[in-house]
Amino acid sequence: MHPAFSVIFLTTLLGAGQGLYLAMVTGQLYAVARFLPAQADQFYAIGSLVALLLLIAGLGASFFHLGRPERAWRAAAMWRTSWLSREVIVLPIVMALVFAYGVAHWFGWTRPLFQVGAVLQVDLTLLLGVLGTIASLALFVCTAMIYAAVRFLQEWHTPLTVSNFLFLGAASGFMLAAAYSAYIGNPLVTFYGTWAVILTLVGLASRLAHLRRNARLKHKSTVQTAIGVRHANVVQKAQGATGGSFNTREFFHGRRQSLVERLRTVYLALVFPIPVLLIGLSYLIGSSNLPIIAFFVQFAGLLIERWSFFAEARHPQNLYYQSVA
Amino acid sequence: MTQLALVIDLNVCVGCHACVTSCKEWNTSGWAGPLVDQNPYEGSPTGTFFNRVQTFEVGTFPNTETVHFPKSCLHCEEPPCVPVCPTGASYKRPDNGVVLVDYDKCIGCKYCSWACPYGARELDEQQKVMKKCTLCIDRITDAKLSERDRKPSCVLACPANARLFGDVHDPDSEVSIAIRERGGYQLMPEWGTKPANHYLPRQKTRMHIDPEELTRVDNPWRKEDLTDYTGEETLDDVAW
């Protein structure tokens, strides 16, 4: 498949935004449970604002993917059957909840509304946080299922696509939360850094399992089933166009296989070991710059990872577009 | 239920591209707007087509065979491109089974093209909407045309009569009989998309001759001739 930059930025920015928001809510939940000291409301408010900006940037990137962006509102129609439609519905819900969560913190609307049990004081921010978390997890599923649901792209048609999007997105968001805490000198950097490392390692397991599965993948379609001629030796001589077509532009990455393999090594290094080592090193020397570097290194790696995700997928229609006479 | 479809006879397709050009001519001139081309007269011409003729070579030289393979939307009975469309622009007509795109609703997200294993959909680079074969829906449903003309443009243009058009759900239609009696098959049956279009395989007329038919092993002369020959002239040596 052709890796479109609009979709690469859409999925990675949404992942980081959702992850950062989940990190804010996680931090608040830990504080409610008294595992962590409570933070000033401003901390959560600014974190949510950054998450919202990332979500808006991702949404903006998605418009570049559309041929007719002015009609984008129509895309909410077919939510019964289309994961793309479901994403179009869930994304604004997540954005609204992230915005509301940030606003509730900013204005300090934290007077308990009711009490559960003896100790749990439920306020507006906690309610919005829980709702936003559910919506955010649903958005991860919707975004990933757009790819995982296309059964013809066998490289994508696996639950590992969903786990990759979820864990890699969450990892980059928690990494950003660590960077944010480090930037403002908040001691939560250790908490977020540890979670970022855990999520990165889970993401690594998921991505490696995905690569291993795809390396052994047997494609269902062959040129024999494509044209229905039973012969071991069928070679395409002409594809009906000399200057290429939509089919040759959309479904081929047009790069050498060696580049795809080299970039795989690059992103496996940038996304997983390097940020983990940087976070570990920041604990040792108490640096506030290293978590910030770790986030940007990992995000750059995730852009390459998403590029590879597209480049590695081989569409069965390519059997009809193997050579130009 | 009616399911209109094409049946393409690979046995007689000569790869002349008449179906491609007549399809382009009809569908670029219609109410839906042109099928746009880029660089039509330059080094790298490209554009939107509903129908393409591809060529495959089967076998190893010198024992090769050239297969010309016309490819357009197969109007699947289980079209995987329809449910993925977020706007409902892609749909299958309930009355005749033709899979169509509403160009006024399409947002050009290309998701339907990912969900088609046959590469039958092409994004128009100027109008930025997804396009595909309509089976010339504006011809075949036009009651003002004569019965003879109420067929897709490609079918009318084919000089070899390699393209048949009709209702594959009607067991007595020309297309159903062709599929039944001449080994009609579907492309990529492994995906369960149930393409309505079928292809008729290449067929060769061969005469089978046994070696026994060339040399007469049961020559009655041999059997009944009990003479011991010792070099003398026989009837075979006589020349008149």
Side-chain angles (χ1 to χ4, degrees):
Chain A
M1 298 293 289
H2 169 71
F5 277 98
S6 52
V7 182
I8 292 173
F9 279 101
L10 163 72
T11 55
T12 49
L13 289 169
L14 287 190
Q18 288 160 266
L20 177 58
Y21 175 68
L22 292 177
M24 291 297 111
V25 178
T26 311
Q28 189 185 353
L29 287 177
Y30 271 69
V32 166
R34 310 231 158 81
F35 293 138
L36 287 176
Q39 300 301 311
D41 279 321
Q42 212 186 5
F43 174 78
Y44 302 114
I46 294 177
S48 308
L49 176 69
V50 175
L52 185 63
L53 290 176
L54 287 169
L55 294 175
I56 291 171
L59 179 66
S62 76
F63 277 91
F64 287 96
H65 186 68
L66 300 182
R68 293 280 195 152
E70 75 278 12
R71 296 176 183 168
W73 59 274
R74 286 184 180 277
M78 301 305 279
W79 56 272
R80 286 181 191 82
T81 58
S82 173
W83 281 104
L84 180 49
S85 198
R86 288 169 199 162
E87 188 197 32
V88 166
I89 293 169
V90 177
L91 177 55
I93 294 176
V94 171
M95 292 169 83
L97 286 169
V98 171
F99 179 71
Y101 178 82
V103 166
H105 271 300
W106 185 260
F107 290 106
W109 297 336
T110 46
R111 205 152 46 86
L113 298 171
F114 56 90
Q115 190 163 344
V116 179
V119 283
L120 182 58
Q121 307 270 342
V122 179
D123 63 15
L124 185 63
T125 60
L126 197 57
L127 278 181
L128 287 170
V130 171
L131 287 177
T133 301
I134 295 168
S136 190
L137 293 174
L139 181 57
F140 269 122
V141 173
C142 289
T143 308
M145 280 306 287
I146 291 175
Y147 307 94
V150 182
R151 61 197 161 107
F152 307 109
L153 287 154
Q154 288 175 265
E155 286 85 352
W156 297 353
H157 188 51
T158 159
L160 289 170
T161 299
V162 182
S163 60
N164 286 342
F165 273 63
L166 177 62
F167 291 119
L168 296 180
S172 75
F174 274 78
M175 204 65 88
L176 180 54
Y180 164 53
S181 306
Y183 182 72
I184 61 171
N186 190 306
L188 280 189
V189 61
T190 336
F191 167 71
Y192 285 129
T194 308
W195 269 115
V197 167
I198 293 169
L199 289 164
T200 300
L201 293 178
V202 177
L204 175 65
S206 170
R207 194 64 173 107
L208 286 181
H210 193 218
L211 286 173
R212 186 181 146 93
R213 169 193 178 272
N214 285 356
R216 298 172 172 191
L217 199 63
K218 194 166 180 289
H219 283 99
K220 281 188 181 181
S221 290
T222 60
V223 69
Q224 284 79 17
T225 68
I227 68 167
V229 173
R230 192 177 172 81
H231 195 294
N233 198 359
V234 179
V235 182
Q236 184 163 32
K237 292 292 169 186
Q239 58 178 235
T242 50
S245 58
F246 171 73
N247 306 75
T248 57
R249 291 188 290 271
E250 179 70 8
F251 297 93
F252 294 87
H253 53 78
R255 308 283 171 178
R256 276 196 297 276
Q257 187 58 29
S258 58
L259 178 73
V260 177
E261 279 158 22
R262 211 174 311 139
L263 285 178
R264 184 188 305 144
T265 322
V266 171
Y267 82 70
L268 283 176
L270 288 182
V271 176
F272 304 107
I274 295 178
V276 169
L277 289 175
L278 286 173
I279 290 287
L281 200 59
S282 79
Y283 294 170
L284 289 179
I285 62 172
S287 161
S288 64
N289 289 329
L290 286 182
I292 300 172
I293 298 171
F295 166 72
F296 283 107
V297 166
Q298 189 177 49
F299 192 78
L302 282 174
L303 293 175
I304 301 174
E305 187 273 338
R306 222 32 63 83
W307 187 93
S308 301
F309 173 73
F310 278 90
E312 283 161 9
R314 291 182 189 178
H315 200 284
Q317 77 102 39
N318 293 6
L319 294 168
Y320 297 107
Y321 296 90
Q322 297 174 79
S323 61
V324 183
Chain B
M1 197 187 90
T2 308
Q3 172 65 62
L4 297 178
L6 296 172
V7 170
I8 295 167
D9 190 349
L10 296 182
N11 204 34
V12 291
C13 176
V14 293
C16 70
H17 293 250
C19 54
V20 178
T21 51
S22 66
C23 165
K24 179 86 170 181
E25 189 276 331
W26 177 262
N27 286 297
T28 203
S29 325
W31 50 265
L35 300 182
V36 180
D37 291 319
Q38 292 92 47
N39 314 320
Y41 307 109
E42 286 163 41
S44 192
T46 180
T48 316
F49 283 78
F50 289 170
N51 178 31
R52 294 181 185 270
V53 175
Q54 308 189 320
T55 302
F56 292 84
E57 192 172 79
V58 178
T60 319
F61 183 82
N63 299 314
T64 53
E65 211 175 292
T66 304
V67 176
H68 298 295
F69 180 80
K71 181 169 84 74
S72 55
C73 171
L74 306 171
H75 300 281
C76 298
E77 300 200 40
E78 302 285 345
C81 52
V82 169
V84 301
C85 176
T87 68
S90 274
Y91 63 105
K92 187 171 175 71
R93 257 178 81 140
D95 59 335
N96 56 18
V98 179
V99 178
L100 293 170
V101 180
D102 184 338
Y103 301 147
D104 293 330
K105 279 190 186 168
C106 176
I107 58 171
C109 71
K110 306 178 224 173
Y111 195 28
C112 55
S113 71
W114 296 3
C116 171
Y118 307 103
R121 291 170 164 256
E122 300 191 10
L123 188 86
D124 192 294
E125 295 292 345
Q126 187 176 317
Q127 295 181 10
K128 295 288 180 191
V129 294
M130 196 55 74
K131 296 196 169 180
K132 61 178 285 302
C133 163
T134 66
L135 276 181
C136 289
I137 194 75
D138 50 341
R139 289 187 73 96
I140 60 177
T141 56
D142 186 351
K144 293 198 293 290
L145 292 176
S146 68
E147 187 70 35
R148 182 192 152 281
D149 283 336
R150 228 177 291 158
K151 285 182 176 175
S153 188
C154 57
V155 174
L156 295 172
C158 181
N161 201 21
R163 303 174 77 91
L164 312 176
F165 168 69
D167 177 11
V168 289
H169 280 183
D170 172 6
D172 299 322
S173 67
E174 181 193 20
V175 282
S176 289
I177 292 170
I179 294 167
R180 195 163 63 233
E181 297 183 353
R182 294 159 67 188
Y185 65 88
Q186 296 170 322
L187 304 183
M188 293 186 185
E190 62 272 20
W191 295 114
T193 53
K194 295 191 190 164
N197 281 14
H198 283 67
Y199 285 77
L200 302 180
R202 310 256 292 170
Q203 291 175 334
K204 288 195 183 113
T205 310
R206 282 208 183 83
M207 191 164 66
H208 183 72
I209 301 172
D210 271 329
E212 294 164 27
E213 292 175 75
L214 294 174
T215 55
R216 237 179 128 175
V217 291
D218 55 346
N219 190 336
W221 286 105
R222 291 269 162 80
K223 281 199 173 155
E224 291 162 22
D225 187 2
L226 302 173
T227 321
D228 287 326
Y229 294 104
T230 49
E232 67 274 32
E233 282 192 343
T234 68
L235 195 62
D236 292 339
D237 300 316
V238 178
W240 283 279

